[in-house]
Amino acid sequence: MSKRIDVQNLNVFYGDFLAVKDASMVIEPRSVTAFIGPSGCGKSTFLRTLNRMHEVIPGGRVEGKVLLDNEDLYGPGVDPVAVRRTVGMVFQRPNPFPTMSIGDNVVAGLRLNGVKDKKVLKEKMEQSLRGANLWDEVKDRLDKPGAGLSGGQQQRLCIARAIAVSPDVLLMDEPCSALDPISTLAIEDLMNELKSEYTIVIVTHNMQQAARVADRTAFFNLEATGKPGMLVEMNDTQKMFSNPDQRATEDYISGRFG
Amino acid sequence: MSSITGVSAADTPGPDDDLHEGGPEGRTPSSDGASTGRLGDKIFAGLASGAGILVVALVTLVGAFLVIQAIPALTNNDSNFLLSQDWNVDTNPLQFGIARLLWVTVATSLVAMAIAVPFSVCIALFLTQYAPSWLAKPGAALIDLLAAVPSIVYGLWGVFTIGPHFQPVQNVLTSVLGWLPFFEKTQTSAGSTIFFVSVILAIMILPIITALSREVFAQTPQAHKDAATALGATKWEVIRTAVLPFGKPGIISASMLGLGRALGETVAVMMIVSALAPNAPWSWSLFTGGETFASKIANNAGEFDNPTKTGAYIAAGLVLFILTFIVNSLARIVIERRKAFSE
């Protein structure tokens, strides 16, 4: 399943601080959308509002709408826990559960959803690990701790864990920033494969990465430190990197600031 | 810190995890290749190794002292030391056994743990996971403070505040669960039973277990909690999948420190439990009296007038010493067994 995200006039607050101001965008299903921009511009914060992970931080709240195929994630009575079960997330630093084996890590989300059937768990485990291009590397040590894997393998394990629950959307918050180039390439290839099934949104500091993997790119910026971040431009990646509509985008991409 | 809480900074994954794929053996203290040749290094290395060796030597010497002092009494003992519940140390030959002391010591400590550990873990989870920060910070400071107060203060409070109201509790337990040997009704009044002393011991060890558990739970990496949250875990599921597994070695270590206090607690037990008559029949009931190793030794400390007689008490102390060792070893085994999963 893959769903369209439609963000309408979203303001994100941490307490009284406005972190992202009036952002609107449409994210197409079965595509990779990249968020780029300087540090502190609110791109990660904005990403987290797409599965309500920003609410983990005290005082985090939004005004506006985030529609997932016309269902408002912030509608009355919507449980953030239910939102996160359909919008998966992969983090900057690989974070497999250290007390669980590789296999248990993959099916952790299924177990949380109440799946107990061993056969189903085993099938999903293999399917997800294959989906994350990790099966061949770990199939002989599924009962070993996930912490024994390399950073790149751990990150793919986290992706396997996220896709095991069959989410509609997969959010990735700088998933390669702690990885070496080879592992980064493996993750990028994986994104290309996964986008046939999922809506993928990735935050990246690496503009080449955005250019390589994303179909659409959004550029966030902030006027000054302490001012809210905002969406400057969103366009097809090719256009963003060759002939952007906004001057600020061109300045950033050509390296004149940021 | 790591030996107390079972976790240390090194246990949490760092950004350079793939550097030490080889596992823990790549991280021994001296394998970092740093110079140890300077004077300051030599002095500190000497002090540290000296302190370490001293502790090991002290424990060995204490053990040896206990064994040597206990031998005369043990060889002059007419009863079975492990199985008898006699305690006649003024006769010749002596007749003494530790069966009753061992049972009362183990029973009071275990019941105290069964009450205190779940309570402590819940308090620690509340302070670290549920409480708003305006409450969590003073709460943490308060718990640390409480843990530093000598436990006898809580013991006294329990005796005088809970003691007078304890009879109904005991009546309910003996009438509902009286068919179990542990809850058999006896004539001992509620304020002086093994069960009541267990409750008091639980109160006494609660702060230390809470303080250490809270410390460990507070160190749960946000990344692990985020991982669970992002999978759609509820608050309790986050605790179950990320916080508790991470804190388990710490809870075990904290419980062991609490257990150590409970096993060795003397004054509170002396104050509360009434000693049984010398020839009382064996009872498994928690609602009868008795003495623990510590209270037995303390109760009779005034009568250590000849070495053989004293040796009988020292033999009892030796068993307490060994018991503590066994319990701690078991705890370490539990922690070590899952070590690969806590890196």
Side-chain angles (χ1 to χ4, degrees), chain A residues 81 84-85 93 95 98-99 143 145, chain B residues 13 223 229-230 232 237 245 338 341:
Chain A
V81 166
R84 294 177 198 129
R85 287 186 183 186
R93 287 251 299 270
N95 57 356
T99 53
D143 56 344
Chain B
T229 309
E237 287 167 339
R338 296 285 294 178
F341 284 93

Side-chain angles (χ1 to χ4, degrees), chain A residues 103-119:
Chain A
D104 287 341
N105 259 292
V106 177
V107 296
L110 292 169
R111 288 227 168 92
L112 287 175
N113 288 346
V115 180
K116 291 206 174 72
D117 188 331
K118 286 219 171 90
K119 201 166 139 256

Side-chain angles (χ1 to χ4, degrees), chain B:
Chain B
M1 194 63 193
S2 89
S3 64
I4 294 174
T5 60
V7 292
S8 65
D11 288 344
T12 53
D16 53 350
D17 269 357
D18 36 358
L19 287 180
H20 35 67
E21 250 174 291
E25 63 270 18
R27 277 192 256 168
T28 48
S30 55
S31 70
D32 52 11
S35 161
T36 51
R38 294 215 188 137
L39 183 63
D41 277 316
K42 280 181 179 161
I43 292 173
F44 185 74
L47 282 174
S49 335
I53 292 163
L54 187 70
V55 167
V56 176
L58 266 179
V59 173
T60 317
L61 286 174
V62 168
F65 165 85
L66 290 175
V67 171
I68 291 165
Q69 297 283 311
I71 282 172
L74 286 173
T75 50
N76 194 22
N77 184 6
D78 218 21
S79 300
N80 186 314
F81 177 62
L82 291 177
L83 298 179
S84 160
Q85 47 176 332
D86 302 333
W87 198 273
N88 303 316
V89 287
D90 290 314
T91 54
N92 194 5
L94 307 175
Q95 294 170 318
F96 66 97
I98 51 142
R100 188 72 204 160
L101 298 177
L102 185 63
W103 160 245
V104 176
T105 306
V106 170
T108 49
S109 302
L110 286 185
V111 175
M113 297 285 287
I115 299 169
V117 172
F119 247 106
S120 303
V121 169
C122 287
I123 297 169
L125 284 176
F126 169 73
L127 284 174
T128 54
Q129 312 299 323
Y130 288 97
S133 65
W134 61 264
L135 182 62
K137 278 180 188 154
L142 183 70
I143 287 289
D144 284 350
L145 196 71
L146 290 179
V149 173
S151 51
I152 187 63
V153 177
Y154 307 119
L156 281 173
W157 175 81
V159 170
F160 292 112
T161 312
I162 301 182
H165 309 292
F166 202 67
Q167 189 71 47
V169 178
Q170 173 161 333
N171 291 346
V172 169
L173 283 172
T174 49
S175 61
V176 176
L177 296 166
W179 49 276
L180 282 168
F182 300 133
F183 294 93
E184 197 186 321
K185 202 168 165 51
T186 70
Q187 293 306 311
T188 317
S189 74
S192 49
T193 60
I194 295 175
F195 189 78
F196 181 61
V197 86
S198 306
V199 172
I200 299 301
L201 287 176
I203 296 170
M204 293 167 78
I205 61 178
L206 197 78
I208 182 82
I209 302 180
T210 307
L212 292 172
S213 304
R214 194 208 64 79
E215 188 73 36
V216 181
F217 292 152
Q219 287 175 26
T220 313
Q222 186 63 39
H224 299 168
K225 291 201 276 181
D226 282 352
T229 309
L231 281 175
T234 60
K235 188 93 191 172
W236 159 238
E237 287 167 339
V238 171
I239 290 172
R240 214 183 52 196
T241 44
V243 181
L244 281 178
F246 176 83
K248 197 174 114 189
I251 299 172
I252 293 172
S253 300
S255 306
M256 285 309 119
L257 279 183
L259 180 60
R261 284 195 171 190
L263 283 174
E265 180 53 45
T266 312
V267 181
V269 182
M270 273 170 65
M271 276 168 52
I272 295 166
V273 192
S274 55
L276 286 181
N279 293 316
W282 180 271
S283 164
W284 291 106
S285 177
L286 296 173
F287 296 105
T288 181
E291 285 174 294
T292 63
F293 286 114
S295 74
K296 180 85 183 171
I297 294 168
N299 260 331
N300 297 285
E303 300 168 24
F304 293 172
D305 46 17
N306 80 66
T308 324
K309 186 175 168 183
T310 310
Y313 292 97
I314 289 179
L318 179 64
V319 177
L320 183 58
F321 189 76
I322 294 168
L323 184 65
T324 319
F325 257 98
I326 293 172
V327 167
N328 271 304
S329 311
L330 287 179
R332 288 253 59 99
I333 290 169
V334 173
I335 293 169
E336 291 293 323
R337 214 173 33 141
R338 296 285 294 178
K339 195 167 175 41
F341 284 93
S342 61
E343 286 296 308

Side-chain angles (χ1 to χ4, degrees), chain A residues 33-93:
Chain A
T33 303
F35 295 171
I36 59 171
S39 297
C41 68
K43 55 192 189 305
S44 282
T45 299
F46 184 81
L47 184 80
R48 283 172 164 249
T49 62
L50 302 182
N51 73 341
R52 300 185 65 167
M53 275 299 284
H54 69 291
E55 291 172 13
V56 167
I57 296 156
R61 65 193 167 87
V62 300
E63 286 168 3
K65 279 185 174 175
V66 178
L67 302 177
L68 189 65
D69 271 9
N70 297 321
E71 272 180 63
D72 190 358
L73 297 186
Y74 293 93
V78 174
D79 184 359
V81 166
V83 170
R84 294 177 198 129
R85 287 186 183 186
T86 55
V87 183
M89 189 162 197
V90 174
F91 295 84
Q92 192 170 352
R93 287 251 299 270

